[in-house]
Coordinates of all heavy atoms in Angstrom, one line a residue:
M1 N 77.0 -9.0 29.4 CA 77.0 -7.5 29.5 C 76.1 -7.0 28.4 O 76.1 -7.4 27.2 CB 78.4 -7.0 29.2 CG 78.5 -5.5 29.3 SD 80.2 -4.9 29.1 CE 80.8 -5.2 30.7
P2 N 75.2 -6.1 28.7 CA 74.2 -5.5 27.7 C 75.0 -4.7 26.6 O 75.9 -4.1 26.9 CB 73.3 -4.6 28.5 CG 73.9 -4.5 29.8 CD 74.9 -5.5 30.0
R3 N 74.5 -4.9 25.4 CA 75.1 -4.2 24.2 C 74.6 -2.7 24.2 O 73.4 -2.5 24.4 CB 74.6 -4.9 23.0 CG 75.5 -4.6 21.8 CD 75.3 -5.6 20.7 NE 74.5 -4.9 19.7 CZ 74.1 -5.5 18.6 NH1 74.4 -6.7 18.4 NH2 73.4 -4.9 17.7
Q4 N 75.5 -1.8 24.0 CA 75.1 -0.4 23.9 C 74.7 0.0 22.5 O 75.4 -0.4 21.6 CB 76.4 0.5 24.3 CG 76.8 0.3 25.8 CD 75.8 0.9 26.7 OE1 75.1 1.9 26.4 NE2 75.6 0.4 27.9
H5 N 73.6 0.7 22.4 CA 73.1 1.1 21.1 C 73.4 2.6 21.0 O 73.3 3.3 22.0 CB 71.7 0.9 20.9 CG 71.3 -0.6 20.9 ND1 71.6 -1.3 19.8 CD2 70.8 -1.4 21.8 CE1 71.2 -2.6 20.0 NE2 70.7 -2.7 21.2
G6 N 73.6 3.1 19.8 CA 73.8 4.5 19.6 C 72.5 5.2 19.7 O 71.4 4.6 19.9
P7 N 72.5 6.5 19.5 CA 71.2 7.3 19.6 C 70.3 6.8 18.5 O 70.7 6.4 17.4 CB 71.6 8.7 19.4 CG 73.0 8.7 18.9 CD 73.6 7.4 19.3
R8 N 69.0 6.9 18.8 CA 68.0 6.5 17.8 C 67.9 7.5 16.6 O 68.0 8.7 16.8 CB 66.6 6.4 18.5 CG 65.7 5.6 17.7 CD 64.4 5.4 18.5 NE 63.4 6.0 17.7 CZ 62.2 6.4 18.1 NH1 61.9 6.3 19.3 NH2 61.3 6.9 17.3
R9 N 67.9 7.0 15.4 CA 67.7 7.8 14.3 C 66.3 8.3 14.1 O 65.4 7.7 14.5 CB 68.1 7.1 13.0 CG 69.6 6.8 12.9 CD 69.8 6.1 11.5 NE 71.2 5.8 11.4 CZ 71.8 5.4 10.3 NH1 71.0 5.2 9.2 NH2 73.0 5.2 10.2
A10 N 66.2 9.5 13.5 CA 64.9 10.1 13.2 C 64.3 9.3 12.0 O 65.1 8.8 11.1 CB 65.1 11.5 12.9
R11 N 63.0 9.2 12.0 CA 62.4 8.6 10.8 C 62.3 9.7 9.7 O 62.3 10.9 10.0 CB 60.9 8.3 11.1 CG 60.8 7.0 11.9 CD 59.4 6.5 12.1 NE 58.6 6.8 10.8 CZ 57.3 7.0 10.8 NH1 56.6 7.1 11.9 NH2 56.7 7.2 9.6
I12 N 62.3 9.2 8.5 CA 62.3 10.1 7.3 C 60.9 9.9 6.6 O 60.5 8.8 6.4 CB 63.4 9.9 6.3 CG1 64.8 10.0 6.9 CG2 63.3 10.8 5.1 CD1 65.2 11.4 7.2
A13 N 60.2 11.0 6.3 CA 59.0 11.0 5.6 C 59.1 12.0 4.5 O 59.9 13.0 4.6 CB 57.8 11.3 6.5
F14 N 58.4 11.9 3.4 CA 58.5 12.8 2.3 C 57.1 13.4 2.0 O 56.1 12.8 2.0 CB 58.9 12.0 1.0 CG 60.3 11.4 1.2 CD1 60.4 10.1 1.6 CD2 61.4 12.1 0.9 CE1 61.7 9.5 1.7 CE2 62.7 11.6 1.0 CZ 62.8 10.3 1.4
S15 N 57.2 14.7 1.7 CA 56.0 15.4 1.2 C 55.7 14.8 -0.2 O 56.5 14.1 -0.8 CB 56.2 16.9 1.1 OG 57.1 17.2 0.1
D16 N 54.5 15.2 -0.7 CA 54.1 14.7 -2.0 C 55.0 15.2 -3.1 O 55.4 14.4 -4.0 CB 52.6 15.2 -2.3 CG 51.6 14.4 -1.5 OD1 51.9 13.4 -0.9 OD2 50.5 14.9 -1.4
S17 N 55.5 16.5 -3.0 CA 56.4 17.0 -4.0 C 57.7 16.3 -4.0 O 58.3 16.0 -5.0 CB 56.5 18.5 -3.9 OG 57.1 18.9 -2.7
A18 N 58.2 16.0 -2.8 CA 59.5 15.3 -2.6 C 59.4 13.9 -3.1 O 60.3 13.4 -3.8 CB 60.0 15.3 -1.2
A19 N 58.2 13.3 -2.9 CA 58.0 11.9 -3.4 C 58.0 11.9 -4.9 O 58.6 10.9 -5.5 CB 56.7 11.3 -2.9
K20 N 57.5 12.9 -5.6 CA 57.5 13.0 -7.0 C 58.9 13.1 -7.5 O 59.3 12.6 -8.5 CB 56.6 14.1 -7.5 CG 55.1 13.8 -7.4 CD 54.3 14.9 -7.9 CE 52.8 14.5 -7.7 NZ 51.9 15.5 -8.2
Q21 N 59.7 13.9 -6.8 CA 61.1 14.1 -7.2 C 61.8 12.8 -7.1 O 62.7 12.5 -7.9 CB 61.8 15.2 -6.3 CG 61.4 16.6 -6.6 CD 62.1 17.6 -5.7 OE1 62.3 17.3 -4.5 NE2 62.5 18.7 -6.3
L22 N 61.5 12.0 -6.1 CA 62.2 10.7 -5.9 C 61.9 9.8 -7.0 O 62.7 9.0 -7.5 CB 61.7 10.0 -4.6 CG 62.3 10.6 -3.3 CD1 61.7 9.9 -2.1 CD2 63.8 10.5 -3.3
E23 N 60.6 9.8 -7.5 CA 60.2 8.9 -8.6 C 61.0 9.2 -9.9 O 61.3 8.4 -10.7 CB 58.8 9.1 -8.9 CG 57.9 8.6 -7.9 CD 56.4 8.9 -8.1 OE1 56.1 9.4 -9.2 OE2 55.6 8.5 -7.2
S24 N 61.5 10.5 -10.0 CA 62.2 10.9 -11.3 C 63.7 10.5 -11.2 O 64.4 10.7 -12.2 CB 62.0 12.4 -11.6 OG 62.7 13.1 -10.6
L25 N 64.2 10.2 -10.0 CA 65.6 9.8 -9.9 C 65.9 8.5 -10.6 O 65.3 7.5 -10.3 CB 66.1 9.7 -8.4 CG 66.1 11.0 -7.6 CD1 66.6 10.7 -6.2 CD2 67.1 12.0 -8.3
T26 N 66.9 8.5 -11.5 CA 67.2 7.2 -12.2 C 68.7 6.9 -12.1 O 69.0 5.7 -12.1 CB 66.8 7.3 -13.7 OG1 67.5 8.5 -14.2 CG2 65.3 7.5 -13.9
G27 N 69.5 7.8 -11.9 CA 70.9 7.6 -11.8 C 71.4 7.0 -10.4 O 70.9 7.5 -9.4
E28 N 72.3 6.1 -10.4 CA 72.8 5.5 -9.2 C 73.5 6.6 -8.4 O 73.4 6.6 -7.1 CB 73.7 4.3 -9.4 CG 73.0 3.0 -9.5 CD 74.0 1.9 -9.5 OE1 74.8 1.8 -8.6 OE2 73.9 1.1 -10.4
A29 N 74.2 7.4 -9.0 CA 75.0 8.5 -8.3 C 74.0 9.4 -7.6 O 74.3 9.8 -6.4 CB 75.9 9.3 -9.3
D30 N 72.9 9.8 -8.2 CA 71.9 10.7 -7.6 C 71.3 10.0 -6.4 O 71.1 10.6 -5.3 CB 70.8 11.1 -8.6 CG 71.3 12.0 -9.7 OD1 72.4 12.6 -9.5 OD2 70.7 12.0 -10.7
I31 N 71.0 8.7 -6.5 CA 70.3 8.0 -5.4 C 71.3 7.8 -4.3 O 70.9 8.0 -3.1 CB 69.8 6.6 -5.9 CG1 68.7 6.8 -6.9 CG2 69.4 5.7 -4.8 CD1 68.3 5.6 -7.7
H32 N 72.6 7.5 -4.6 CA 73.6 7.4 -3.5 C 73.8 8.7 -2.8 O 73.9 8.7 -1.6 CB 74.9 6.9 -4.2 CG 76.0 6.8 -3.2 ND1 76.1 5.8 -2.2 CD2 77.1 7.6 -3.0 CE1 77.2 6.0 -1.5 NE2 77.8 7.1 -2.0
A33 N 73.9 9.8 -3.5 CA 74.1 11.1 -2.9 C 72.9 11.5 -2.0 O 73.1 12.0 -0.9 CB 74.2 12.2 -4.0
L34 N 71.7 11.2 -2.4 CA 70.5 11.5 -1.6 C 70.5 10.6 -0.4 O 70.2 11.1 0.7 CB 69.2 11.3 -2.4 CG 67.9 11.4 -1.6 CD1 67.8 12.8 -1.1 CD2 66.7 11.1 -2.5
D35 N 70.8 9.3 -0.5 CA 70.9 8.4 0.6 C 71.8 8.9 1.7 O 71.5 8.9 2.9 CB 71.3 7.0 0.2 CG 70.2 6.2 -0.4 OD1 69.0 6.6 -0.3 OD2 70.5 5.2 -1.1
R36 N 73.0 9.4 1.3 CA 74.0 9.9 2.2 C 73.4 11.1 3.0 O 73.6 11.2 4.2 CB 75.3 10.2 1.5 CG 76.1 9.0 1.1 CD 77.3 9.4 0.3 NE 78.2 10.3 1.1 CZ 79.3 9.9 1.8 NH1 79.6 8.7 1.8 NH2 80.0 10.8 2.4
A37 N 72.8 12.0 2.3 CA 72.2 13.2 2.9 C 71.1 12.8 3.9 O 71.0 13.4 5.0 CB 71.7 14.2 1.8
L38 N 70.3 11.9 3.5 CA 69.2 11.4 4.4 C 69.8 10.8 5.7 O 69.2 11.0 6.7 CB 68.3 10.5 3.7 CG 67.4 11.1 2.5 CD1 66.7 10.0 1.8 CD2 66.5 12.2 3.1
V39 N 70.9 10.1 5.5 CA 71.5 9.5 6.7 C 71.9 10.6 7.7 O 71.7 10.5 8.9 CB 72.6 8.5 6.4 CG1 73.5 8.2 7.6 CG2 72.1 7.3 5.7
V40 N 72.6 11.6 7.1 CA 73.0 12.7 7.9 C 71.9 13.3 8.7 O 72.0 13.5 10.0 CB 73.8 13.8 7.1 CG1 74.0 15.1 7.9 CG2 75.0 13.3 6.5
V41 N 70.8 13.7 8.1 CA 69.7 14.3 8.8 C 68.9 13.4 9.7 O 68.3 13.8 10.7 CB 68.7 15.1 7.9 CG1 69.5 16.3 7.2 CG2 68.0 14.2 6.9
S42 N 69.0 12.1 9.4 CA 68.3 11.1 10.3 C 69.1 10.9 11.6 O 68.5 10.7 12.6 CB 68.1 9.8 9.6 OG 69.3 9.1 9.5
V43 N 70.4 11.0 11.5 CA 71.3 10.9 12.7 C 71.2 12.2 13.5 O 71.2 12.2 14.7 CB 72.7 10.5 12.3 CG1 73.7 10.6 13.5 CG2 72.8 9.1 11.7
D44 N 71.3 13.3 12.8 CA 71.3 14.6 13.5 C 70.3 15.6 12.7 O 70.7 16.3 11.8 CB 72.7 15.2 13.5 CG 72.7 16.6 14.2 OD1 71.7 17.0 14.8 OD2 73.8 17.3 14.0
P45 N 69.0 15.6 13.1 CA 68.0 16.4 12.5 C 68.3 17.9 12.5 O 67.8 18.7 11.7 CB 66.7 16.1 13.2 CG 66.9 14.8 13.8 CD 68.4 14.7 14.1
E46 N 69.2 18.3 13.4 CA 69.6 19.7 13.5 C 70.8 20.1 12.6 O 71.3 21.2 12.7 CB 69.9 20.1 15.0 CG 68.8 19.8 15.9 CD 67.5 20.5 15.7 OE1 67.5 21.7 15.4 OE2 66.4 19.9 15.7
A47 N 71.2 19.1 11.8 CA 72.4 19.3 11.0 C 72.2 20.5 10.0 O 73.2 21.2 9.6 CB 72.8 18.0 10.2
G48 N 71.1 20.7 9.5 CA 70.8 21.7 8.5 C 70.7 23.1 9.2 O 70.6 23.2 10.4
E49 N 70.8 24.1 8.3 CA 70.6 25.5 8.8 C 69.2 25.9 8.8 O 68.5 25.6 7.8 CB 71.5 26.4 7.9 CG 72.9 26.1 7.9 CD 73.6 26.5 9.3 OE1 73.2 27.5 9.9 OE2 74.4 25.7 9.7
P50 N 68.7 26.6 9.8 CA 67.3 27.1 9.8 C 67.2 28.1 8.6 O 68.1 28.9 8.3 CB 67.2 27.8 11.1 CG 68.3 27.3 11.9 CD 69.4 26.9 11.0
I51 N 66.0 28.1 8.0 CA 65.7 29.0 6.9 C 64.9 30.2 7.6 O 63.9 29.9 8.2 CB 64.9 28.4 5.8 CG1 65.7 27.3 5.1 CG2 64.4 29.4 4.8 CD1 65.0 26.5 4.1
P52 N 65.4 31.4 7.5 CA 64.7 32.5 8.1 C 63.3 32.6 7.5 O 63.1 32.4 6.3 CB 65.5 33.7 7.7 CG 66.8 33.2 7.2 CD 66.6 31.8 6.7
G53 N 62.4 33.0 8.4 CA 61.0 33.1 7.9 C 60.0 33.2 9.1 O 60.4 33.5 10.2
D54 N 58.8 32.8 8.8 CA 57.7 32.8 9.7 C 58.0 31.8 10.8 O 58.4 30.6 10.6 CB 56.4 32.4 9.0 CG 55.2 32.7 9.8 OD1 55.3 33.3 10.9 OD2 54.1 32.3 9.4
T55 N 57.8 32.2 12.1 CA 58.0 31.3 13.2 C 56.7 30.6 13.7 O 56.7 29.9 14.7 CB 58.6 32.0 14.4 OG1 57.7 33.1 14.8 CG2 60.0 32.5 14.0
V56 N 55.6 30.8 13.0 CA 54.3 30.3 13.4 C 54.2 28.8 13.1 O 53.8 28.0 13.9 CB 53.1 31.0 12.6 CG1 51.8 30.3 12.9 CG2 53.1 32.4 13.0
G57 N 54.7 28.3 11.9 CA 54.6 26.9 11.5 C 55.9 26.2 11.9 O 56.8 26.8 12.6
P58 N 56.1 25.1 11.4 CA 57.4 24.3 11.6 C 58.5 25.1 11.0 O 58.4 25.7 9.9 CB 57.1 23.0 11.0 CG 56.1 23.2 10.0 CD 55.2 24.3 10.5
Q59 N 59.7 25.0 11.7 CA 60.9 25.7 11.2 C 61.5 24.9 10.0 O 61.9 23.8 10.2 CB 61.9 25.8 12.3 CG 63.2 26.4 11.9 CD 63.2 27.9 11.6 OE1 62.7 28.7 12.4 NE2 63.6 28.2 10.4
L60 N 61.5 25.5 8.8 CA 62.1 24.8 7.7 C 63.7 24.9 7.9 O 64.2 25.9 8.4 CB 61.8 25.5 6.4 CG 60.4 25.1 5.8 CD1 60.2 25.9 4.5 CD2 60.4 23.6 5.5
R61 N 64.3 23.8 7.5 CA 65.8 23.7 7.6 C 66.3 23.4 6.2 O 65.6 22.7 5.4 CB 66.2 22.7 8.6 CG 65.7 23.0 10.0 CD 66.2 22.1 11.0 NE 67.6 22.3 11.3 CZ 68.1 23.2 12.2 NH1 67.3 24.0 12.8 NH2 69.4 23.3 12.4
E62 N 67.5 23.7 5.9 CA 68.2 23.4 4.7 C 69.5 22.7 5.0 O 70.3 23.2 5.8 CB 68.5 24.6 3.8 CG 69.2 24.3 2.6 CD 69.5 25.6 1.8 OE1 69.5 26.7 2.4 OE2 69.8 25.4 0.6
Y63 N 69.7 21.5 4.4 CA 70.9 20.8 4.6 C 71.6 20.7 3.2 O 70.9 20.3 2.2 CB 70.7 19.3 5.1 CG 72.0 18.5 5.0 CD1 73.0 18.7 6.0 CD2 72.2 17.6 4.0 CE1 74.2 18.0 5.9 CE2 73.4 16.9 4.0 CZ 74.4 17.1 4.9 OH 75.6 16.4 4.9
A64 N 72.8 21.2 3.1 CA 73.5 21.2 1.8 C 74.8 20.5 2.0 O 75.5 20.7 2.9 CB 73.7 22.6 1.3
D65 N 75.1 19.6 1.0 CA 76.4 18.9 1.0 C 77.0 19.2 -0.4 O 76.6 18.7 -1.4 CB 76.1 17.3 1.1 CG 77.4 16.5 1.1 OD1 78.4 17.0 0.6 OD2 77.4 15.4 1.7
E66 N 78.0 20.1 -0.3 CA 78.6 20.5 -1.6 C 79.4 19.4 -2.3 O 79.6 19.4 -3.5 CB 79.5 21.7 -1.3 CG 78.7 22.9 -0.7 CD 77.6 23.4 -1.6 OE1 77.8 23.4 -2.9 OE2 76.6 23.9 -1.1
V67 N 79.9 18.5 -1.5 CA 80.7 17.4 -2.1 C 79.8 16.5 -2.9 O 80.1 16.1 -4.0 CB 81.5 16.6 -1.0 CG1 82.1 15.4 -1.6 CG2 82.5 17.5 -0.3
E68 N 78.7 16.1 -2.3 CA 77.7 15.2 -3.0 C 76.7 15.9 -3.9 O 76.0 15.3 -4.6 CB 76.9 14.4 -1.9 CG 77.7 13.4 -1.2 CD 78.2 12.2 -2.0 OE1 77.6 11.9 -3.1 OE2 79.1 11.5 -1.5
R69 N 76.8 17.3 -3.8 CA 75.9 18.2 -4.6 C 74.4 17.9 -4.3 O 73.7 17.6 -5.3 CB 76.3 18.1 -6.1 CG 77.7 18.4 -6.3 CD 78.1 18.4 -7.8 NE 77.3 19.2 -8.6 CZ 77.4 20.5 -8.8 NH1 78.3 21.2 -8.2 NH2 76.5 21.1 -9.7
V70 N 74.1 17.9 -3.1 CA 72.7 17.6 -2.6 C 72.3 18.8 -1.7 O 73.0 19.3 -0.9 CB 72.6 16.3 -1.9 CG1 71.3 16.1 -1.2 CG2 72.9 15.1 -2.8
R71 N 71.0 19.1 -1.9 CA 70.4 20.1 -0.9 C 69.0 19.5 -0.6 O 68.2 19.1 -1.4 CB 70.2 21.4 -1.6 CG 69.7 22.5 -0.6 CD 69.6 23.8 -1.2 NE 70.5 24.1 -2.3 CZ 70.3 25.0 -3.2 NH1 69.3 25.9 -3.0 NH2 71.1 25.2 -4.2
L72 N 68.7 19.5 0.7 CA 67.4 19.0 1.2 C 66.7 20.2 2.0 O 67.4 20.9 2.7 CB 67.6 17.9 2.2 CG 68.2 16.6 1.8 CD1 68.3 15.7 3.0 CD2 67.3 15.9 0.8
L73 N 65.5 20.4 1.7 CA 64.6 21.3 2.6 C 63.7 20.4 3.4 O 63.1 19.5 2.8 CB 63.8 22.2 1.7 CG 64.6 23.1 0.8 CD1 63.6 24.0 0.0 CD2 65.5 24.0 1.6
Y74 N 63.7 20.6 4.7 CA 63.0 19.7 5.6 C 62.6 20.4 6.8 O 63.0 21.5 7.1 CB 63.8 18.4 5.9 CG 65.0 18.7 6.7 CD1 65.0 18.6 8.1 CD2 66.2 19.2 6.2 CE1 66.1 18.8 8.9 CE2 67.3 19.4 6.9 CZ 67.3 19.2 8.3 OH 68.4 19.5 9.1
W75 N 61.7 19.8 7.6 CA 61.4 20.2 8.9 C 61.3 19.0 9.8 O 61.1 17.9 9.4 CB 60.1 21.1 9.0 CG 58.9 20.5 8.4 CD1 58.5 20.3 7.2 CD2 57.8 19.9 9.2 NE1 57.3 19.7 7.1 CE2 56.8 19.4 8.3 CE3 57.6 19.7 10.6 CZ2 55.7 18.8 8.7 CZ3 56.4 19.0 11.0 CH2 55.5 18.6 10.0
V76 N 61.4 19.2 11.1 CA 61.4 18.2 12.1 C 60.2 18.3 13.0 O 59.9 19.3 13.5 CB 62.7 18.2 13.0 CG1 62.8 17.1 14.0 CG2 64.0 18.3 12.1
T77 N 59.5 17.2 13.1 CA 58.3 17.1 13.9 C 58.7 17.1 15.4 O 59.8 16.8 15.8 CB 57.4 15.9 13.6 OG1 58.0 14.7 14.0 CG2 57.0 15.9 12.1
A78 N 57.7 17.2 16.3 CA 57.9 17.1 17.7 C 58.4 15.7 18.1 O 59.1 15.6 19.1 CB 56.6 17.5 18.5
L79 N 58.1 14.7 17.3 CA 58.5 13.3 17.6 C 59.8 13.0 16.9 O 60.1 11.8 16.7 CB 57.4 12.3 17.3 CG 56.1 12.5 18.1 CD1 55.0 11.6 17.6 CD2 56.4 12.4 19.6
R80 N 60.5 14.0 16.4 CA 61.8 13.8 15.7 C 61.7 13.0 14.4 O 62.6 12.3 14.0 CB 62.8 13.2 16.6 CG 63.3 14.1 17.7 CD 64.4 13.6 18.5 NE 65.5 13.0 17.8 CZ 66.6 13.6 17.4 NH1 66.8 14.9 17.7 NH2 67.6 12.9 16.8
T81 N 60.5 13.2 13.7 CA 60.4 12.7 12.4 C 60.9 13.8 11.4 O 60.4 14.9 11.6 CB 59.0 12.3 12.0 OG1 58.6 11.2 12.9 CG2 58.9 11.8 10.6
V82 N 61.8 13.5 10.5 CA 62.2 14.5 9.5 C 61.3 14.4 8.3 O 61.2 13.3 7.7 CB 63.7 14.2 9.1 CG1 64.1 15.1 8.0 CG2 64.6 14.3 10.3
V83 N 60.7 15.5 8.0 CA 59.8 15.5 6.8 C 60.5 16.3 5.7 O 60.8 17.5 5.8 CB 58.4 16.2 7.1 CG1 57.6 16.2 5.9 CG2 57.7 15.4 8.3
V84 N 60.9 15.6 4.7 CA 61.6 16.2 3.5 C 60.6 16.8 2.7 O 59.7 16.2 2.2 CB 62.4 15.2 2.8 CG1 63.1 15.8 1.5 CG2 63.5 14.5 3.7
V85 N 60.7 18.1 2.5 CA 59.7 18.9 1.7 C 60.2 18.9 0.2 O 59.4 18.8 -0.7 CB 59.7 20.4 2.2 CG1 58.8 21.2 1.3 CG2 59.2 20.4 3.6
A86 N 61.5 18.9 0.0 CA 62.0 18.9 -1.3 C 63.4 18.4 -1.3 O 64.2 18.6 -0.4 CB 62.0 20.3 -1.9
Y87 N 63.8 17.7 -2.4 CA 65.1 17.3 -2.7 C 65.6 18.1 -3.9 O 64.9 18.0 -4.9 CB 65.1 15.8 -3.0 CG 66.4 15.3 -3.7 CD1 67.6 15.3 -3.1 CD2 66.3 15.0 -5.0 CE1 68.7 14.9 -3.7 CE2 67.4 14.5 -5.7 CZ 68.7 14.5 -5.1 OH 69.8 14.1 -5.7
L88 N 66.6 18.9 -3.7 CA 67.1 19.7 -4.8 C 68.5 19.4 -5.1 O 69.3 19.3 -4.2 CB 67.0 21.2 -4.4 CG 65.6 21.7 -3.8 CD1 65.8 23.0 -3.2 CD2 64.6 21.7 -4.9
E89 N 68.8 19.3 -6.3 CA 70.2 19.2 -6.7 C 70.9 20.6 -6.7 O 70.2 21.5 -7.1 CB 70.3 18.5 -8.1 CG 69.9 17.1 -8.1 CD 70.1 16.5 -9.5 OE1 69.2 16.9 -10.4 OE2 71.0 15.7 -9.7
V90 N 72.1 20.6 -6.3 CA 72.8 21.9 -6.3 C 73.5 22.1 -7.6 O 73.9 21.2 -8.2 CB 73.9 21.9 -5.2 CG1 74.7 23.2 -5.2 CG2 73.2 21.7 -3.8

């Protein structure tokens, strides 16, 4: 019997500014919290709330996890790649 796979996760990519923020993370708790948030948006890219603004470019979204104290700003490409623009601590 063929094995059933769940839905495919979105790929995660980082903008230059988000990559710089990642380089500055040193604490295990911060890295763990970010990892959990990235898993959420990779499984469901629509998990975050749309940020009101210009509709010409990609729609920015914000995902906030108050328990882990993480906030991500990101947009989703047409091929369901999640591009993290910024990782912000709450």
